[in-house]
Amino acid sequence: MSKLNYSFKLNFLLVFICVLTSACTQDENLNEEKIIHFDNKFKDAKIRDIYNLRDQRNTLGVAEYLTSDSLKYRREALIAFGSIQDTTALPYCKKILEEENDISLKIAAAFAIGQISSPKLNDFMINYIVMHEAEEEVVEHLFEALGMCATDRAIVFMTGFVTLSVPIKRGIVKGLYKAIVWQNSTSLDAALQVMRIYSRSFSEGMEDDETREWCSSFFGKLNSEHTLEVFSSNIFDQARRNENELIRANFALAIKAFSKANGSASALQKILSSEKSSLVLINAIKATEAVKYTTVIDETISFLDNKDPIVATVAADVLYKKLGWNTSKQVYKIAKKIKYPNPRAKALKAVMEERNKQSEIYNFTKDLFENSNSVYEQCLLLEAMNESKLGKNIAFDTWKTTTSIPLKTKAIEIITANYAKQKSLSSSKGKELNKILVDALLTKDVGQIYTVCSFMSANVAKFKKYYPSVNQMDSVKKNLEIPLQVEAVIEIEKAIAAINQTTYKYEALKSNVGVKWEMIQNIKPNHLAKIYTNQGEITIQLKVEDAPATVAMFVDLVQQKFYNGLFFHRMVPNFVAQGGDPRGDGFGGLPYSIPSEFSLLEYQEGSLGIASAGKDTESCQFFFTEVPTHHLDGRYTIFAEVVEGLDVMHKLEYGDKMDSVVVLKDILPLAQ
């Protein structure tokens, strides 16, 4: 090669590199032009960088901002640790508590420690609480964090701590509540401590319904192993007489755990006969599930034709397997007159469980099924027909013939549930089960795979010899699409672990879509959107500064009219109403996922959260919380709250429809 040719090629290469660099810079400038203006805190490029690092789960990158002179950057970095949830962030959090004076930074550090949920700093937190009790707000949050990281020593410390501070008392209750939810850890001493705090809030004249509500929620989370007879009369009394509707409702639900205590049936009967609030009635009716006294069953039956269809649905639900020959006849007569489809279908299910050979009842139900315009009503009626001996093949036949995704998913759920009830199978039945499992796996349908793999995980001891081979299951898994079918992948992995008798460990998705900054540049901190449903309109306020990736996704989907015409496929009274699934059965999603975004926000009545199958698997499905739902805090992203239309939200039923969703262009002050 001549020097001339070499020089020419070198110069050409340098020119090419310069042109390429210039083009890349121009592309970057074009991208910056898309996000050049922001109507929220993300106009600050450094805050955007912190959130980008958060979504990359880059602990060290975020930690660099803790050396900044700016308090806001340090606080944002600590909040970001709460979403990353990496134990390597703990020393940074500890240093903040030791060296900083700003209360907001210390609270953010406590939040991050709790979210990381490691006991490594428990001794430090205990010592800090003892030495810094005067920092009431910080200590309140540290007690909550201690509960999320709870060990036996932490529980003992919280149950024995005595204070006159109202915020610290609230923190103790929060900590003991979180210990149940996050670590499945509690004790009778913990329950005694919570009841002491609750009872003394009245004798000491403490006007703090927030702490009392947390106390009542704590007792609602207990099970029969945690109960103590000494609590029962107090709980029964508060469920009837407390002036706060939510506190009454929480204590009414707690009666379920205390159902063996003397007076539980009497307490429930009195609530059911005198209570006017649907909120309290729903929880009291749920509590009757643990009580079999005739008088309570009779009271429950009386709610089947309640003017509130959700109350009626709950009543029908708890009557399943509790009706006798005479009461089932009574309920059938009522069911034929019920105008609401959901309670009617559930009442028929309860009836056919007892009268499983009567063709009149089965044919009445089948006629409703065949003539229904709602696939969700059909799902409930399919469950009802499955109770009859005349409908022993109805689920299988539906599974084989229907083209409806929700109905096909419901059918395989019923089929596997029927097999799970069997103690053993004949050779021919075993072969049938094997074919069903294989056929479901080969559909490559996320709902089908999830359901059969859940069944296999739970029934290894009984039916392992009829399962598809592990190689076959693994082959199916490799052909699934991530993240769209992540729930199926996870359940296959769980089933394989159960078959191989190994421990399954969930690993978060390695990558996801971060914040689409261009989608939220014009979203103000108080920006509103409207959800139009068949029950009415709900106005929500987007929490763009707490969950930018989620709000960006939501705004993007709304602009595409993605949610228009979708259904609320899941409804748990006094808990959540969930929708936004393009499949309509709870297993639908997007070709991409977004990161979990946890903040200091707590689930209240009317909060909107994003459903997930595990950390960093969030997608398009969202839910309303109908009451404060503390066990979801720090586990599911909160991205909005209802500001108008709470009454409409409370009317939402299984199968209701989102007609349309719009992001409002003009931000107007809400009516007071």
Side-chain angles (χ1 to χ4, degrees):
M1 180 185 295
S2 70
K3 289 184 178 180
L4 181 63
N5 285 340
Y6 178 81
S7 176
F8 173 78
K9 290 184 178 181
L10 180 61
N11 288 333
F12 177 81
L13 180 61
L14 290 171
V15 170
F16 176 77
I17 291 172
C18 289
V19 171
L20 183 63
T21 302
S22 174
C24 290
T25 303
Q26 288 174 12
D27 285 343
E28 289 173 3
N29 290 337
L30 286 173
N31 288 335
E32 277 299 314
E33 285 177 11
K34 292 181 182 178
I35 57 173
I36 199 167
H37 170 75
F38 281 87
D39 288 328
N40 48 57
K41 72 179 183 182
F42 298 110
K43 62 187 176 184
D44 188 324
K46 289 185 178 180
I47 294 181
R48 292 204 302 275
D49 187 48
I50 291 171
Y51 278 75
N52 286 332
L53 291 167
R54 178 204 68 173
D55 295 344
Q56 295 162 15
R57 301 317 188 207
N58 186 340
T59 304
L60 295 179
V62 170
E64 290 182 10
Y65 279 93
L66 292 176
T67 63
S68 169
D69 292 333
S70 170
L71 186 149
K72 70 177 179 180
Y73 298 148
R74 299 204 300 278
R75 185 178 182 278
E76 292 286 3
L78 290 165
I79 297 296
F81 283 156
S83 293
I84 298 174
Q85 298 177 334
D86 180 2
T87 55
T88 60
L90 290 175
Y92 299 108
C93 298
K94 180 175 181 243
K95 187 175 181 181
I96 291 290
L97 286 163
E98 288 175 327
E99 299 180 3
E100 291 283 356
N101 293 319
D102 185 82
I103 296 298
S104 68
L105 285 180
K106 291 186 175 186
I107 289 173
F111 164 77
I113 293 169
Q115 287 292 120
I116 294 168
S117 189
S118 165
K120 290 182 178 181
L121 290 185
N122 280 13
D123 289 344
F124 167 76
M125 285 193 284
I126 288 171
N127 291 333
Y128 189 97
I129 289 168
V130 172
M131 299 299 294
H132 299 85
E133 190 176 347
E135 298 178 9
E136 292 182 320
E137 288 184 77
V138 177
V139 170
E140 176 186 351
H141 285 84
L142 280 173
F143 266 119
E144 186 173 359
L146 193 59
M148 296 160 79
C149 312
T151 57
D152 289 343
R153 181 173 181 239
I155 296 289
V156 170
F157 175 73
M158 288 189 285
T159 58
F161 197 87
V162 178
T163 181
L164 295 176
S165 165
V166 172
I168 294 177
K169 287 179 181 178
R170 182 165 55 247
I172 292 169
V173 177
K174 286 182 176 182
L176 292 172
Y177 176 95
K178 293 294 179 74
I180 297 176
V181 173
W182 285 66
Q183 303 296 339
N184 193 28
S185 177
T186 192
S187 66
L188 293 177
D189 285 338
L192 284 167
Q193 171 77 310
V194 174
M195 184 56 78
R196 271 195 302 270
I197 291 172
Y198 180 81
S199 300
R200 289 175 182 174
S201 72
F202 295 97
S203 62
E204 295 172 358
M206 184 173 77
E207 293 298 326
D208 183 20
D209 271 350
E210 183 183 357
T211 299
R212 292 171 185 163
E213 188 272 314
W214 272 93
C215 290
S216 61
S217 294
F218 172 89
F219 285 101
K221 280 295 173 186
L222 294 181
N223 59 45
S224 57
E225 295 176 0
H226 303 139
T227 58
L228 194 65
E229 189 78 16
V230 70
F231 296 144
S232 58
S233 61
N234 202 352
I235 286 172
F236 300 162
D237 184 66
Q238 289 301 309
R240 291 181 56 207
R241 305 182 192 281
N242 194 286
E243 294 180 358
N244 184 295
E245 179 185 38
L246 179 58
I247 292 174
R248 286 203 313 280
N250 287 339
F251 277 122
L253 185 62
I255 296 176
K256 185 174 181 178
F258 291 80
S259 60
K260 296 179 182 178
N262 290 333
S264 60
S266 175
L268 284 173
Q269 187 181 0
K270 289 175 182 177
I271 294 170
L272 295 176
S273 63
S274 61
E275 181 62 62
K276 303 301 181 186
S277 163
S278 291
L279 181 71
V280 182
L281 281 173
I282 286 169
N283 278 3
I285 293 170
K286 286 182 178 181
T288 66
E289 188 176 11
V291 176
K292 294 185 178 181
Y293 292 102
T294 302
T295 53
V296 174
I297 293 173
D298 289 342
E299 286 286 355
T300 304
I301 290 173
S302 71
F303 287 101
L304 289 174
D305 56 0
N306 192 274
K307 63 181 181 180
D308 184 338
I310 297 174
V311 172
T313 300
V314 176
D317 218 10
V318 301
L319 287 172
Y320 178 65
K321 291 192 173 181
K322 295 178 76 172
L323 298 179
W325 191 252
N326 292 330
T327 49
S328 61
K329 181 179 180 180
Q330 177 189 358
V331 169
Y332 178 51
K333 287 182 179 179
I334 297 171
K336 288 194 293 183
K337 297 178 182 179
I338 296 174
K339 63 178 180 179
Y340 302 117
N342 293 349
R344 178 176 60 197
K346 286 180 175 287
L348 289 168
K349 178 182 177 180
V351 169
M352 275 193 280
E353 189 274 330
E354 175 65 20
R355 293 174 173 259
N356 57 19
K357 295 180 181 179
Q358 293 200 341
S359 59
E360 178 195 339
I361 303 171
Y362 179 80
N363 290 333
F364 174 77
T365 307
K366 188 177 181 183
D367 185 60
L368 289 173
F369 176 84
E370 292 173 347
N371 290 285
S372 175
N373 294 320
S374 166
V375 67
Y376 296 99
E377 181 185 13
Q378 287 183 314
C379 286
L380 296 180
L381 291 168
L382 187 65
E383 285 185 339
M385 289 186 290
N386 179 66
E387 295 296 324
S388 172
K389 293 189 181 298
L390 301 174
K392 63 180 181 179
N393 295 320
I394 190 69
F396 183 82
D397 293 342
T398 302
W399 182 57
K400 282 295 187 182
T401 58
T402 186
T403 57
S404 163
I405 291 176
L407 197 55
K408 197 174 190 71
T409 301
K410 177 58 67 176
I412 193 63
E413 289 173 354
I414 293 171
I415 291 167
T416 53
N418 287 343
Y419 274 103
K421 294 174 186 176
Q422 307 300 314
K423 293 182 179 179
S424 61
L425 298 175
S426 65
S427 177
S428 60
K429 286 292 183 184
K431 289 179 181 178
E432 287 178 9
L433 173 60
N434 174 265
K435 180 167 174 45
I436 289 169
L437 297 176
V438 170
D439 287 351
L441 286 171
L442 294 179
T443 63
K444 298 182 181 179
D445 179 278
V446 59
Q448 299 291 308
I449 295 171
Y450 176 95
T451 303
V452 297
C453 287
S454 295
F455 165 83
M456 286 191 279
S457 295
N459 294 278
V460 171
K462 291 193 294 183
F463 303 134
K464 178 181 175 181
K465 62 182 178 180
Y466 305 119
Y467 288 0
S469 70
V470 167
N471 286 340
Q472 191 172 6
M473 295 167 66
D474 196 52
S475 175
V476 169
K477 187 188 87 168
K478 289 176 181 177
N479 287 305
L480 295 176
E481 184 181 346
I482 298 293
L484 186 61
Q485 296 175 303
V486 66
E487 289 176 284
V489 171
I490 290 171
E491 287 306 310
I492 289 176
E493 290 175 348
K494 286 181 179 178
I496 291 174
I499 292 167
N500 292 335
Q501 296 183 315
T502 58
T503 302
Y504 170 77
K505 184 177 180 181
Y506 170 75
E507 292 185 11
L509 295 180
K510 296 292 189 264
S511 63
N512 50 53
V513 175
V515 184
K516 294 181 179 179
W517 293 114
E518 69 275 12
M519 297 309 304
I520 61 166
Q521 60 182 336
N522 297 318
I523 302 297
K524 299 177 176 66
N526 61 342
H527 214 107
L528 304 180
K530 273 200 174 184
I531 300 173
Y532 297 88
T533 77
N534 60 292
Q535 297 285 4
E537 301 175 9
I538 302 171
T539 304
I540 64 173
Q541 186 178 86
L542 301 174
K543 299 291 185 181
V544 66
E545 295 195 342
D546 297 285
T550 308
V551 171
M553 177 200 68
F554 182 78
V555 170
D556 191 14
L557 293 176
V558 168
Q559 290 183 359
Q560 297 175 41
K561 303 186 186 303
F562 175 89
Y563 290 112
N564 296 4
L566 299 186
F567 294 88
F568 289 95
H569 63 272
R570 181 183 181 224
M571 196 280 169
V572 183
N574 283 2
F575 180 36
V576 297
Q578 184 169 324
D581 175 10
R583 286 170 52 101
D585 66 344
F587 292 103
L590 302 171
Y592 63 90
S593 64
I594 58 173
S596 305
E597 300 184 282
F598 304 129
S599 69
L600 290 169
L601 294 175
E602 296 179 345
Y603 277 97
Q604 304 294 335
E605 178 188 21
S607 296
L608 276 78
I610 286 288
S612 77
K615 189 168 182 285
D616 296 338
T617 64
E618 284 78 358
S619 186
C620 53
Q621 292 186 43
F622 67 88
F623 56 85
F624 297 95
T625 49
E626 301 192 341
V627 295
T629 314
H630 306 306
H631 65 280
L632 301 183
D633 293 344
R635 291 180 158 184
Y636 293 85
T637 303
I638 299 173
F639 75 97
E641 67 174 341
V642 175
V643 289
E644 284 185 351
L646 278 173
D647 57 330
V648 176
M649 180 197 76
H650 286 297
K651 291 177 184 176
L652 291 174
E653 296 183 74
Y654 174 66
D656 276 342
K657 188 177 182 181
M658 271 184 273
D659 296 319
S660 63
V661 183
V662 295
V663 175
L664 302 184
K665 293 182 179 179
D666 298 318
I667 307 303
L668 301 174
L670 290 171
Q672 296 297 316

